[in-house]
Amino acid sequence: MSGEAVCHRAPWLITGAPGESAPTADGAVVVAEGRIVALGPFARCRELAATVTDHAGAVLTPALVNAHTHLELSALAELGQGEAATGDMPSWIAALLARRAAFAAAGAAIETARRQALASLVDSGCGLIGDIGNDPAGAALAAAATGAEIQFFLELLALTAASEAQALERLAALAPTMVAAPHAPYSVTPRLLTALKERCRRLGQIYSVHLAESRDEVQLLADGSGGFPAFLRARQVWDGSFRPPAASPVAYLDRLGVLDARSLCVHCVQVDGADIATLARNGAKVCLCPGSNRQMGVGRAPVADMLAAGLLPALGTDSLASNPQLNVWQEMRILREELPELAPGLVFAMATRGGAEALGRGTTHGQLGVGRPARLLAVTAQGVRGHEVFEFLTTVGTAATVQRLG
C-alpha cells in the first residue's frame, strides 16, 4: 500500500450499508487518492497505511444527503422564522412571491444568501445536495461548489395554454446537461408533466416533483375546490383549460405514467395507503421534509406506512423560506421527536443512503465502501456507547459537530 494512504480511526464506524444494525467498534477507513481502499475494524486496517489519524471520541459516518432544498430562496429566510403557519399553502405562496419580488426590485444580495446557505450545509456535513430553482444560475452555483456535489433541477411551471407553449419551447432549447423538473401537479399542465418525464427518461435524469404537500393541492385535483383556484385566478395563471383529474396527486401522476424508479416525489404528506402502494409498485422515491412541513403546518407524512411498504424515504430541508434552518441533523431530530417509535438506524439511513438513491447517486454517495469516493465524516460523540450511536446521531440536531474527511 502506498505511503500516501491514510487510515482514519475512531471508536465507532458506520458504513451506511443496507442491513447495518450496529456500528463497528474501533473502526477505521483507509483512504488513498480520494477513494476508500479498506474499512472495518482498525486491527484489520492498521497495516494498510503509513499514516494513522485518530479521531478520538468520534463516529466515522458517510456524509449526509439533503435531497431537496431551494438555495435561491435563502434571502427570504424571514418567512421561515417565527410561529408555524396554518397550512394555508396558497397564502404562503402569495407571501413568498411578494417578498421575492421586493427583493429583486431592491437589488438585494440574493446570491450572497444562496452561497451562505450552501456553506452552512457543507459545514454541517452534507456531501450531496438536491437544489431546485427557477433561475438557471443555480447550475453555475452547483459547478462552483466545493466540499459537496449539487444536483440542480431547473423548475418549470405552466398551467395555462399560453404558458405551457412557452415552457415547452424553453424545454426544447435547454442543454441536455440541464435537468428540468416540474414544480407540482397543481402548477403544471398534464402535457408539460409528461414532456418533462419523457425528457428525463431520454437523458437518464431524475424527475423531481413536489407532491401531495397540502390539503389545498388534494382538493384542487379532486374536484377543483380549496384555496388554489382563487389564488391562481388572482395571479392570472388560470385560463380554465386545466381540468381537475378527480384523483389524488399520486394517482394522477400514476395515470399520466410519470412514476418510476427515477421519480423523486417530495413531501408526500397527504397520502393514504393506496397512494403509498402506488409509489412502492412503481419504485418511486420519496423525500420527506419534516422541518418544513412542521413550520408550514401542512401535517406529517405517514413514514411508518412508507417503511412498511418497502420505501426508504430521503430527507430534505426545503428552503429557509419554509424552514428555520437548513440542517439535515435537525431533520432527523424532528422526525424522531414526531415518531419516536422509528428505528434510529433507519432514520440515519434516510439521511444518507436514502437521499443518495433518490438523487440517482446510490453508487457514489450515502454509504462507505471499498472503491467508493471518500465522502466521510468524523462526528463528535464523546462518551457515546455502541448501542447509543444511532440514537445519538438522530437526536443531536444542530449541536452536531463534524469534521469532513473527504
Side-chain angles (χ1 to χ4, degrees):
M1 180 63 61
S2 167
E4 296 178 355
V6 176
C7 178
H8 294 280
R9 179 189 187 184
W12 307 106
L13 164 66
I14 291 174
T15 68
E20 184 177 44
S21 59
T24 299
D26 195 15
V29 179
V30 181
V31 177
E33 297 181 350
R35 293 197 170 267
I36 297 172
V37 296
L39 76 170
F42 176 65
R44 202 169 66 207
C45 296
R46 63 189 307 168
E47 301 302 326
L48 300 178
T51 302
V52 175
T53 301
D54 275 303
H55 302 278
V59 183
L60 299 178
T61 79
L64 303 183
V65 179
N66 184 345
H68 181 84
T69 191
H70 299 262
L71 292 175
E72 73 180 32
L73 299 181
S74 298
L76 311 182
E78 67 181 65
L79 292 176
Q81 307 298 317
E83 295 183 3
T86 62
D88 182 350
M89 184 63 70
S91 294
W92 178 83
I93 296 174
L96 172 75
L97 294 174
R99 189 64 181 145
R100 189 174 189 175
F103 259 82
I110 294 175
E111 185 61 23
T112 297
R114 176 160 54 181
R115 290 183 178 275
Q116 288 174 341
L118 171 60
S120 74
L121 281 173
V122 174
D123 289 345
S124 67
C126 279
L128 176 62
I129 299 164
D131 181 31
I132 292 81
N134 305 126
D135 180 0
L141 177 68
T146 57
E149 291 190 19
I150 301 179
Q151 174 57 68
F152 179 74
F153 297 90
L154 179 64
E155 188 173 71
L156 300 184
L157 300 88
L159 203 58
T160 66
S163 61
E164 176 188 81
Q166 292 173 350
L168 290 170
E169 183 177 351
R170 183 184 185 191
L171 184 63
L174 290 178
T177 53
M178 179 68 75
V179 182
H183 173 250
Y186 63 83
S187 58
V188 178
T189 64
R191 184 182 177 192
L192 183 55
L193 283 168
T194 54
L196 284 162
K197 184 59 182 181
E198 289 167 2
R199 182 179 186 271
C200 284
R201 284 185 173 134
R202 185 174 71 253
L203 298 175
Q205 297 170 343
I206 298 297
Y207 180 86
S208 175
V209 58
H210 298 80
L211 188 65
E213 183 177 4
S214 70
R215 288 297 305 168
D216 287 293
E217 175 184 343
V218 173
Q219 292 169 333
L220 173 67
L221 298 183
D223 57 17
S225 63
F228 272 122
F231 166 77
L232 295 168
R233 290 189 185 97
R235 292 198 58 78
Q236 298 182 334
V237 292
W238 179 283
D239 62 1
S241 61
F242 178 78
R243 294 288 184 266
S248 74
V250 172
Y252 174 43
L253 293 194
D254 186 41
R255 185 185 302 172
L256 292 176
V258 302
L259 295 179
D260 59 26
R262 295 183 71 79
S263 299
L264 175 53
C265 304
V266 182
H267 292 293
C268 291
V269 175
Q270 311 294 337
V271 294
D272 59 17
D275 293 327
I276 293 171
T278 297
L279 292 169
R281 172 171 50 81
N282 285 284
K285 305 301 189 296
V286 171
C287 178
L288 309 178
C289 301
S292 175
N293 294 340
R294 173 187 280 186
Q295 186 67 21
M296 295 290 291
V298 295
R300 301 175 183 176
V303 185
D305 293 339
M306 293 176 180
L307 292 168
L311 298 171
L312 178 65
L315 293 183
T317 60
D318 215 301
S319 75
L320 283 173
S322 68
N323 196 337
Q325 51 207 335
L326 304 188
N327 189 297
V328 178
W329 299 104
Q330 184 68 1
E331 298 301 318
M332 286 189 274
R333 180 174 181 170
I334 291 171
L335 204 54
R336 293 295 314 285
E337 288 174 353
E338 295 180 345
L339 298 165
E341 69 275 14
L342 291 180
L346 274 176
V347 174
F348 190 73
M350 294 180 200
T352 50
R353 181 164 50 87
E357 292 174 354
L359 292 174
R361 307 290 187 89
T363 61
T364 56
H365 295 73
Q367 58 182 298
L368 307 178
V370 174
R372 284 174 169 261
R375 310 181 194 283
L376 68 153
L377 309 174
V379 186
T380 300
Q382 196 70 44
V384 174
R385 294 172 292 183
H387 68 280
E388 301 169 329
V389 168
F390 280 118
E391 180 73 21
F392 170 79
L393 292 173
T394 57
T395 57
V396 64
T398 56
T401 301
V402 306
Q403 179 185 359
R404 303 180 63 89
L405 304 179

